[in-house]
Amino acid sequence: MSLKLGYLLRETFSNLWRNVSLTIAAVITVLVSLSMFGAALMVGDGVDNATERWEGGIEFVVWLNPDIDAAQDSAIEETLLELQNRNQIDRFDYVDQEATYQEFLELFADSPETLEAVEPANMPPSYRVVPTDPDAEVISELASQFRERAGVRDVVLATEVIKEVQRTADRISQTTLIFSVVLVIAAVLLILNTIIMAISARRREIEVMKLVGATNWFIRLPFMFEGLIFGLIGAGLSIPAMIFIRSYLIEPISDTDALALLQGFEVSNNELMNIIYVNLGLGIIVAVVGSAVAVSRHLDV
Amino acid sequence: MIKLENVTKTYKGNVTALHAANADIAKGEFVFLVGPSGSGKSTFIRLLNREEMPDEGRIFVAGKDIGQLSSWKVPYLRRNIGCIFQDFKLLPRKTVAENVAFALEVIGRPKHVIHKQVPAILELVGLASKIDRFPDQLSGGEQQRVSIARAFVNRPLILLADEPTGNLDPATSVGIMRLLDRINRTGTTVVMATHDRGIVDTMRRRVIELDRGSIVRDQARGVYE
């Protein structure tokens, strides 16, 4: 048995070494396809987490005119308090002109000319409202009653923002997924061809093996194993790639102050582990499919 | 040991390689297959090894109908059949000893068995001094000895030889035939396809003559024609 394992490893690695450039190409393709696949899953997880966190406190924002008079302002506040008493609103925060200006400063930190044109007095103060019922229709009804009130400039539903973020993230995730699937197909074909090359390089050995009565699996196994190694190395290398993508692409999004919604855009360690497992599984599937097709088509034993 | 019952083999394009062939070869016999090129000698050999399947008729090897053999059992059939060829089919990157060891290794023989049997069989074929040479460092006759060692190291019941002296000069051929004769004397059944009139006439063994796929003569202690 030890001899057989030794034989298997020896044959496999001599195949890998003989085709070293193809080996590298196959491993890289597996790595890149799995990394893109994992990135797509991470974006999906991230947006789920971001919007999930939002669900607890879906907001709408009542933007007031900068020059609103005190009577109009307190009338709106009264309505909000009344809604809170009727338990339709969980809580609401007043964001004054100075605080809004601070947000604005952060948001437009990169364009000083925009900042020069504004001062706190231009800023619209706002009420940020957390309704009790997260249902989108209820919220939109709640919000709409402020739209026509005196002194109100605009009412913005956070759900629209969420939906926009979800749509964008979905598009990113789907596009990445499509490219990753295309690359997965390329990986399968590359593994297939690499193994066909290995088989044809060993035609004579295979002929002799058949003649002296080596079993079919004995002949096939080194080639299957070779494919498996492409899959496993590619999937293994995708683990650091996943960690890199999380810290380099996903985490900066949640660190941004630009959009409060994105602060929940995170991928937890558990989710990362799950993605890694999925990648390992996919890597093995890619390898087995590629090498099984090569062996069954080109190794008629 | 070997029995053919009404065996017919037709290749694509209606080339009849063997037609209604009957033969019964006992254990320990030495049989020459003779006949012109394309008469069906190679097909005869390939059928015994189940490299080909008959279209009609049945073939028994060691009591088993090999047409009924499921494909996963074919390797085990072949372990009982050694094969040698005109072109030796040695692996150029392996030494003499490695070439022979390879045949044992790939059927899962343990290392200590290989270490014992390989030098012994190379001694038997007269190549003990050349075990570390590569095939291209050997003469044709020596290469054929390596291939015989590889075919016989597993002590098969049957040795199939397809024109084993086809690439060798007459003097070298005599040496190879002595070796095959010795192997035959150990009880191994030998079936040898050949064009070599001199060998057939000298050895005076059973001769099966084929002509355009039909057995036209089956003669004990026969001659080439």
Side-chain angles (χ1 to χ4, degrees):
Chain A
M1 202 58 213
S2 63
L3 173 81
K4 285 182 192 171
L5 188 65
Y7 169 86
L8 185 64
L9 293 175
R10 188 151 40 83
E11 287 298 297
T12 303
F13 285 100
S14 88
N15 279 351
L16 289 173
W17 184 245
R18 204 173 294 186
N19 273 325
V20 72
S21 62
L22 267 175
T23 299
I24 292 169
V27 166
I28 287 175
T29 315
V30 173
L31 165 65
V32 174
S33 63
L34 292 184
S35 300
M36 285 189 79
F37 185 75
L41 294 183
M42 271 196 225
V43 171
D45 279 344
V47 76
D48 280 353
N49 291 341
T51 52
E52 188 180 59
R53 182 170 292 190
W54 210 254
E55 250 165 39
I58 290 177
E59 280 184 65
F60 63 85
V61 182
V62 181
W63 295 99
L64 306 172
N65 287 325
D67 56 353
I68 187 170
D69 65 45
Q72 289 169 337
D73 196 342
S74 55
I76 290 164
E77 191 176 2
E78 253 170 56
T79 313
L80 285 166
L81 281 168
E82 202 185 308
L83 287 169
Q84 196 170 26
N85 286 337
R86 277 196 267 147
N87 213 15
Q88 286 179 284
I89 288 175
D90 186 41
R91 63 189 165 86
F92 63 92
D93 296 318
Y94 180 74
V95 181
D96 65 14
Q97 288 185 308
E98 184 55 40
T100 311
Y101 183 68
Q102 289 306 319
E103 278 187 4
F104 194 85
L105 286 183
E106 283 173 15
L107 211 56
F108 291 93
D110 295 336
S111 44
E113 64 274 17
T114 313
L115 291 176
E116 262 171 45
V118 297
E119 50 186 39
N122 305 129
M123 289 289 131
S126 59
Y127 287 103
R128 309 216 165 155
V129 187
V130 183
T132 322
D133 190 342
D135 184 76
E137 253 173 62
V138 174
I139 291 166
S140 109
E141 212 180 290
L142 268 179
S144 66
Q145 60 182 292
F146 293 95
R147 202 157 264 149
E148 302 303 324
R149 295 285 290 268
V152 171
R153 179 192 253 191
D154 196 9
V155 177
V156 179
L157 289 168
T159 48
E160 285 166 19
V161 178
I162 290 172
K163 279 174 191 156
E164 189 53 42
V165 167
Q166 276 176 328
R167 273 195 294 269
T168 309
D170 279 353
R171 271 199 299 274
I172 294 172
S173 172
Q174 280 164 6
T175 312
T176 317
L177 212 56
I178 288 167
F179 280 115
S180 75
V181 167
V182 171
L183 271 175
V184 163
I185 293 168
V188 171
L189 292 177
L190 205 51
I191 290 176
L192 175 80
N193 276 295
T194 309
I195 291 171
I196 290 172
M197 293 273 289
I199 289 172
S200 65
R202 305 186 81 85
R203 279 263 168 256
R204 301 173 78 113
E205 274 97 334
I206 292 167
E207 188 187 6
V208 171
M209 285 163 90
K210 288 182 192 175
L211 270 176
V212 300
T215 58
N216 297 346
W217 279 110
F218 195 91
I219 298 173
R220 285 176 184 148
L221 223 50
F223 299 107
M224 302 284 292
F225 208 64
E226 185 183 349
L228 194 63
I229 281 176
F230 295 144
L232 285 178
I233 294 178
L237 290 176
S238 82
I239 294 173
M242 290 294 96
I243 294 167
F244 173 78
I245 287 170
R246 182 171 76 156
S247 62
Y248 196 73
L249 291 178
I250 305 290
E251 277 175 3
I253 296 178
S254 65
D255 287 345
T256 180
D257 293 323
L259 194 49
L261 175 61
L262 291 178
Q263 278 165 12
F265 199 90
E266 287 169 350
V267 175
S268 72
N269 286 336
N270 263 343
E271 285 163 338
L272 185 65
M273 278 315 290
N274 285 339
I275 290 170
I276 287 170
Y277 290 142
V278 168
N279 269 357
L280 284 174
L282 191 64
I284 291 169
I285 290 170
V286 163
V288 167
V289 169
S291 45
V293 172
V295 164
S296 65
R297 289 271 181 84
H298 297 268
L299 210 63
D300 44 342
V301 283
Chain B
M1 182 57 60
I2 296 167
K3 194 173 181 184
L4 279 76
E5 287 180 359
N6 274 312
V7 173
T8 296
K9 175 71 189 176
T10 310
Y11 290 114
K12 277 176 220 142
N14 277 333
V15 184
T16 303
L18 213 56
H19 180 69
N22 284 288
D24 200 339
I25 298 169
K27 184 177 189 318
E29 265 196 285
F30 195 119
V31 180
F32 286 115
L33 291 175
V34 300
S37 296
S39 59
K41 303 189 299 293
S42 288
T43 300
F44 194 111
I45 296 227
R46 292 166 67 85
L47 283 166
L48 296 183
N49 202 16
R50 209 175 181 267
E51 280 183 78
E52 306 276 0
M53 289 279 272
D55 298 320
E56 282 170 47
R58 296 199 292 175
I59 300 169
F60 295 88
V61 173
K64 287 206 185 84
D65 183 348
I66 64 170
Q68 301 292 320
L69 216 57
S70 54
S71 64
W72 69 269
K73 281 185 178 165
V74 171
Y76 300 95
L77 168 77
R78 290 189 185 153
R79 289 178 194 189
N80 288 319
I81 303 173
C83 282
I84 59 174
F85 303 90
Q86 189 170 357
D87 60 356
F88 320 132
K89 298 194 193 297
L90 298 177
L91 302 175
R93 286 166 191 269
K94 291 188 189 290
T95 65
V96 168
E98 284 166 352
N99 262 285
V100 178
F102 185 71
L104 291 173
E105 206 176 7
V106 301
I107 57 170
R109 289 283 181 273
K111 222 166 208 158
H112 66 269
V113 172
I114 296 175
H115 282 318
K116 217 164 69 186
Q117 288 188 345
V118 171
I121 193 79
L122 287 171
E123 175 82 46
L124 179 85
V125 302
L127 286 174
S129 61
K130 297 186 172 170
I131 57 170
D132 290 326
R133 301 276 182 93
F134 286 91
D136 62 5
Q137 298 170 315
L138 301 176
S139 71
E142 287 167 336
Q143 289 187 52
Q144 191 60 290
R145 284 169 189 273
V146 178
S147 112
I148 292 170
R150 183 178 65 191
F152 194 60
V153 68
N154 201 27
R155 307 286 157 167
L157 302 169
I158 298 165
L159 189 70
L160 302 177
D162 194 356
E163 311 262 7
T165 58
N167 273 341
L168 306 176
D169 61 65
T172 311
S173 297
V174 169
I176 294 297
M177 289 318 297
R178 284 215 183 98
L179 186 54
L180 290 181
D181 187 47
R182 236 175 106 187
I183 285 171
N184 176 239
R185 283 173 203 280
T186 66
T188 305
T189 310
V190 178
V191 179
M192 171 170 159
T194 187
H195 276 127
D196 197 321
R197 175 190 304 264
I199 287 170
V200 177
D201 290 348
T202 314
M203 299 263 297
R204 297 301 301 261
R205 300 298 182 98
R206 180 175 169 186
V207 173
I208 295 176
E209 186 181 345
L210 287 157
D211 188 18
R212 280 164 289 174
S214 296
I215 294 177
V216 293
R217 177 165 61 110
D218 188 345
Q219 183 182 16
R221 300 185 61 77
V223 290
Y224 191 78
E225 40 177 28

